[in-house]
Amino acid sequence: QVQLVESGGGLVQAGGSLRLSCAASGRTFSSGSMGWFRQAPGKEREFVAAITWTLGITYYANSVKGRFTISRDNTKNTAYLQMNSLKPEDTAVYYCADKAIADLAGGHYAYWGQGTQVTVSS
């Protein structure tokens, strides 16, 4: 029932910025958490960042810490990923995902968006 739609991907030069959006619909709960993941060609999908809906607690992968910022607007049921100081290594398809519980150490992401391509040129 939950639908997630990512947007904001595109082509950007190294050092530039992009802001990804993830619009959620069909959520019957106000808690839980939202996560951002990415997958580059030939690589496994990796975790990027997560945020809890109620308290806004955040967690980041070390590879993006200090450069990316995850946020959410509860009124709009939308999560964001602000990506600064982009590197070619950040090139990947970025996915947002929804988890029914706020505990970042438990549960699983049951719903996923279609993904949005981010390409960083050198």
Side-chain angles (χ1 to χ4, degrees), residues 50-91:
I51 187 169
T52 66
W53 281 104
T54 302
L55 298 179
I57 301 172
T58 60
Y59 184 76
Y60 298 91
N62 289 332
S63 60
V64 305
K65 193 174 299 182
R67 299 188 298 122
F68 292 8
T69 302
I70 187 171
S71 61
R72 85 274 188 266
D73 186 331
N74 298 69
T75 302
K76 298 180 179 180
N77 293 122
T78 301
Y80 305 93
L81 185 68
Q82 179 66 47
M83 309 163 67
N84 298 327
S85 301
L86 283 164
K87 307 174 181 179
E89 307 93 272
D90 295 317
T91 296

Side-chain angles (χ1 to χ4, degrees), residues 5-58:
V5 180
E6 302 99 331
S7 62
L11 175 64
V12 65
Q13 63 182 10
S17 300
L18 285 174
R19 190 176 79 152
L20 306 183
S21 298
C22 177
S25 63
R27 297 186 96 249
T28 59
F29 38 83
S30 59
S31 58
S33 58
M34 183 73 69
W36 285 96
F37 296 77
R38 66 186 183 185
Q39 186 167 23
K43 287 190 172 183
E44 296 181 351
R45 183 176 61 196
E46 66 173 333
F47 169 81
V48 176
I51 187 169
T52 66
W53 281 104
T54 302
L55 298 179
I57 301 172
T58 60

